[in-house]
């Protein structure tokens, strides 16, 4: 009797001793030293998130610079009657027709690309997304290995901005497409590094808020384009690139002096001295001062895996770390497949607004405004909604609404409403996928994993311009293919684990331990349930 009474107490004492001897995690250590996130630190994180605005401008600027302008018959030739103009001016003599606006307003009219076929018209936009794709695969590991989050972000911003300025002086479509490729290559890491760095600089309480702040600034950047496009509607398209790229370059200089490197990344990389200095800076911004000898930091769980080690693994060690683990590879494959379908619609819908038969400035404004309630709703519900089921539901809804645009007559309010609702669902799924991918992977490989997910989104963007060009003749090739892809590929998200309410891991081993613990709990629950059922029998 005494033995049975003592056993639980001994077990409890053993567990408490084990917990007391357990090294603190990096997450707990950082929270202890910096204290609650103060207003100044939160303001710096929000300022960092503003990089999303410049990212949005470069992503969607081609909606206006590469638009196909309207044309009209001049009446100078019997082959072109103003009362009944032909569908295309390509077969008409040069003096029989003219553009409604000055030729220099878009690249299509300035360089006479309209009659070159869908491939030539879509070449600059596709080149930009191809550059995003190439840059993502080649640069994504640098933020986890050699450069870190801050240096990689600044490098991306400066290269994107400089390429944008040079694009304003492109002499022909081939140079223009090449510079758009370079801009996309540089831009590829802006959103990823901004999202990861801003969330790693604040405490647990503010991570979701800072993530959504980036989405809101993306909307701000998107909304600025119709205003700029309308302002320069009679001027050269080159003004659009100058007015978006020069401010981005100035912002990069400001960020160089104000932004800090992620203390989590510094600790995972073993750079404790740099991490101490950064923690001191953050603590002072929060109104605290670290007077201890950083004993907790020296004692924290600093076990490094292949993704964190900077030695023999090299730049691509983070990739190898994921490829060698089946669970990480399954997660990456599932969320990238879903991301491809979401990216196709997310980047394709704004490019396809010309097929709606409505005013292009209003259509783009409506699409940009659709991002705002999505970001606000994400901020309100991000702590309460399940990631997995929400992504599946949103992608299926977006697919069904996009397919509805195929059968609804062009120019109708119903078609515009269906397009906006489909885009709204896609935006929300896009935001959730980025937050989801941050939670699915530990610090040591997080930037690489999120970067690959973003490249899957961008890969959908590479395909989208060609589908949009084909869809101008038959809407199934745009709205129909968009709907089928996002609706079907979104189902792959059902294969992912749920991450709502979970703490973020720092190493691959830590994430594996959490998975093993979750599996053990599930197994124990199943055993208990089976035992209870047998007792009932």
């Amino acid at each position: 009797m005494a033995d049975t009474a003592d056993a639980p107490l001994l077990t409890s004492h053993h567990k408490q001793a084990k917990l007391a001897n357990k090294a603190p995690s990096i997450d707990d250590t950082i929270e202890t030293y910096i204290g609650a996130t103060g207003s100044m630190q939160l303001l710096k994180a929000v300022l960092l998130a503003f990089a999303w605005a410049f990212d949005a401008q470069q992503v969607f600027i081609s909606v206006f610079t590469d638009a196909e302008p309207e044309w009209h018959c001049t009446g100078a030739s019997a082959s072109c009657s103003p009362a009944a103009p032909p569908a295309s001016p390509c077969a008409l003599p040069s003096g029989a027709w003219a553009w409604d606006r000055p030729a220099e307003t878009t690249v299509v009219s300035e360089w006479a690309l309209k009659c070159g076929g869908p491939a030539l018209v879509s070449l600059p936009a596709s080149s930009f997304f191809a550059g995003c794709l190439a840059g993502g695969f080649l640069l994504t590991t640098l933020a986890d290995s050699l450069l870190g989050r801050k240096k990689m972000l600044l490098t991306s911003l400066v290269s994107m901005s400089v390429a944008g300025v040079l694009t304003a002086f492109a002499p022909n479509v081939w140079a223009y497409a090449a510079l758009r490729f370079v801009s996309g290559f540089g831009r590829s890491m802006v959103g990823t590094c901004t999202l990861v760095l801003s969330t790693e600089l604040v405490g647990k309480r503010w991570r979701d808020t800072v993530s959504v702040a980036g989405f809101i600034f993306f909307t701000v950047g998107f909304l600025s384009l119709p205003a700029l496009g309308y302002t320069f509607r009679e001027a050269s398209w080159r003004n659009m690139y100058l007015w978006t790229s020069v401010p981005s370059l100035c912002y990069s200089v400001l960020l160089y002096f104000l932004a800090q490197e992620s203390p989590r990344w510094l600790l995972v990389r073993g750079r404790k001295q740099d991490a101490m200095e950064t923690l001191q800076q953050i603590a002072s911004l929060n109104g605290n001062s670290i007077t201890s000898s950083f004993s907790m930091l020296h004692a924290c769980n600093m076990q490094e895996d292949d993704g964190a080690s900077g030695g023999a693994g090299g730049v691509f060690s983070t990739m190898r770390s994921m490829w060698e683990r089946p669970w990480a590879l399954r997660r990456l494959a599932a969320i990238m497949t879903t991301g491809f379908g979401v990216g196709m619609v997310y980047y394709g819908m704004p490019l396809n607004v010309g097929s709606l038969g409505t005013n292009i400035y209003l259509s783009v404004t409506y699409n940009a405004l659709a991002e705002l309630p999505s970001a606000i709703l994400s901020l309100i519900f991000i702590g309460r909604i399940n990631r997995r089921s929400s992504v599946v539901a949103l992608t299926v809804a977006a697919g069904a609404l996009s397919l509805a645009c195929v059968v609804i007559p062009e120019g109708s309010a119903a078609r515009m409403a269906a397009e906006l609702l489909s885009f709204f669902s896609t935006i929300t799924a896009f935001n959730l996928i980025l937050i989801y991918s941050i939670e699915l992977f530990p610090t040591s490989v997080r930037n690489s994993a999120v970067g690959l997910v973003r490249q899957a989104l961008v890969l959908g963007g590479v395909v989208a311009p060609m589908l949009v060009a084909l869809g101008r003749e038959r809407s199934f090739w745009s709205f129909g293919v968009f709907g089928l892809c996002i609706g079907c590929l979104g189902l792959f998200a059902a294969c992912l684990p749920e991450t709502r309410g979970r703490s973020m891991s720092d190493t691959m081993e830590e994430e594996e331990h959490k998975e093993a613990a979750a599996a053990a709990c599930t197994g124990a629950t199943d055993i208990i349930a089976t035992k209870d059922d047998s007792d009932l029998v």
Side-chain angles (χ1 to χ4, degrees):
M1 186 74 174
D3 292 341
T4 57
D6 289 340
L9 296 175
L10 291 172
T11 304
S12 177
H13 177 74
H14 176 70
K15 287 182 179 180
Q16 290 176 3
K18 190 173 182 181
L19 288 172
N21 295 328
K22 183 181 178 181
S25 67
I26 292 176
D27 206 23
D28 294 335
T29 302
I30 291 175
E31 289 283 335
T32 300
Y33 280 120
I34 67 175
T37 301
S39 57
M40 289 303 297
Q41 182 62 17
L42 184 61
L43 182 63
K44 290 183 73 171
V46 170
L47 176 65
L48 180 65
F50 192 78
W52 280 80
F54 300 108
D55 183 44
Q57 289 179 333
Q58 292 303 313
V59 169
F60 294 117
I61 194 171
S62 58
V63 174
F64 295 99
T65 59
D66 300 10
E68 291 192 29
E70 297 295 327
W71 60 276
H72 62 274
C73 294
T74 60
S77 173
S79 58
C80 186
S81 171
S88 174
C90 296
L92 299 175
S94 57
W97 65 280
W99 299 110
D100 289 357
R101 293 187 293 161
E104 65 268 16
T105 54
T106 77
V107 299
V108 174
S109 52
E110 180 172 339
W111 293 323
L113 304 181
K114 185 175 179 65
C115 300
L120 188 61
V121 172
S122 62
L123 175 64
S126 293
S127 296
F128 174 80
F129 288 116
C132 294
L133 191 66
F137 281 116
L138 294 176
L139 302 178
T140 190
T141 59
L142 293 178
D144 280 329
S145 54
L146 300 180
L147 294 182
R149 280 67 158 132
K150 178 183 174 180
K151 289 181 180 178
M152 188 70 257
L153 173 59
L154 290 173
T155 302
S156 295
L157 274 172
V158 171
S159 57
M160 178 187 76
S161 304
V162 171
V165 172
L166 294 176
T167 303
F169 301 96
N172 53 55
V173 67
W174 308 110
Y176 177 67
L179 286 167
R180 290 299 287 157
F181 179 89
V182 174
S183 179
F185 188 91
R187 171 262 165 193
S188 60
M189 296 307 299
V190 172
T192 302
C193 290
T194 300
L195 185 64
V196 173
L197 179 56
S198 60
T199 54
E200 290 182 351
L201 283 175
V202 296
K204 298 176 182 178
R205 177 185 174 188
W206 294 103
R207 283 173 190 159
D208 291 340
T209 303
V210 170
S211 298
V212 175
F215 303 150
I216 293 174
F217 287 131
F218 192 90
T219 305
V220 171
F222 195 176
L223 274 172
S224 69
L225 290 175
L228 285 173
Y230 187 78
T231 302
F232 298 118
R233 64 189 181 281
E234 301 295 330
S236 173
W237 56 268
R238 302 173 191 273
N239 289 287
M240 294 280 289
Y241 283 101
L242 288 175
W243 279 82
T244 54
S245 300
V246 173
S248 176
L249 199 57
C250 297
Y251 170 80
S252 303
V253 177
L254 179 66
L255 211 60
Y256 175 79
F257 293 102
L258 294 181
Q260 298 156 319
E261 183 54 88
S262 164
R264 295 178 69 103
W265 178 79
L266 291 171
L267 287 172
V268 168
R269 294 288 297 172
R271 295 168 54 179
K272 290 188 177 181
Q273 186 60 42
D274 293 333
M276 292 177 195
E277 295 174 1
T278 302
L279 288 172
Q280 286 278 18
Q281 295 172 7
I282 296 175
S284 63
L285 282 173
N286 294 339
N288 303 318
S289 60
I290 302 176
T291 57
S292 66
S293 59
F294 286 96
S295 56
M296 185 177 177
L297 185 146
H298 292 296
C300 75
N301 190 5
M302 290 298 297
Q303 59 182 11
E304 294 187 8
D305 53 37
D306 294 338
S309 60
V315 174
F316 293 99
S317 60
T318 54
M319 295 291 192
R320 191 185 68 247
S321 179
M322 289 187 285
W323 292 336
E324 290 177 347
R325 291 169 169 84
W327 63 267
L329 197 58
R330 284 195 299 269
R331 290 185 188 183
L332 197 61
I335 198 166
M336 286 180 68
T337 302
T338 300
F340 174 79
V342 171
M344 184 183 295
V345 181
Y346 181 77
Y347 294 116
M349 280 289 190
L351 297 176
N352 201 36
V353 292
S355 301
L356 294 172
T358 55
N359 183 286
I360 187 173
Y361 300 104
L362 289 176
S363 297
V364 175
T365 301
Y366 292 153
N367 277 268
L369 286 173
E371 298 226 16
L372 193 57
S374 172
I376 294 173
L377 287 174
S378 298
L379 178 61
I380 295 173
F381 295 113
I382 194 65
R384 308 173 188 174
I385 60 173
N386 291 337
R387 279 61 164 144
R388 179 173 54 195
S389 56
S390 297
V391 170
V392 172
L394 287 166
T395 51
V396 170
L401 289 164
S402 184
L403 287 171
C405 292
V406 177
V407 297
I408 299 175
E410 182 178 328
S412 65
R415 194 178 199 190
M416 184 70 196
E419 188 272 343
L420 282 173
L421 288 172
S422 177
F423 190 58
F424 173 81
S425 301
T426 303
I427 295 165
T428 310
F430 187 100
N431 295 346
L432 276 176
I433 282 175
L434 290 178
I435 295 174
Y436 202 1
S437 56
I438 287 177
E439 298 171 344
L440 282 170
F441 299 94
T443 302
S444 59
V445 299
R446 182 171 299 124
N447 207 93
S448 298
V450 176
L452 288 174
V453 173
R454 279 181 62 86
Q455 298 329 299
L457 292 161
V458 170
L459 182 59
V462 174
V463 180
M466 178 60 74
L467 293 172
V468 169
L470 292 171
R472 287 178 182 136
E473 301 297 328
R474 188 181 176 191
S475 60
F476 173 79
W477 292 110
S478 54
F479 290 115
V481 175
F482 288 166
L484 290 174
C485 285
I486 191 173
C488 295
L489 298 181
L491 298 176
F492 280 83
C495 304
L496 294 167
E498 181 54 56
T499 60
R500 181 172 70 93
R502 287 180 50 186
S503 60
M504 293 196 300
S505 302
D506 291 303
T507 64
M508 300 294 274
E509 282 78 8
E510 185 180 345
E511 182 66 23
E512 287 172 348
H513 291 159
K514 287 182 180 179
E515 285 295 304
C521 290
T522 304
T525 303
D526 291 342
I527 292 172
I528 292 171
T530 304
K531 186 177 183 298
D532 290 343
D533 291 342
S534 62
D535 290 342
L536 290 173
V537 174

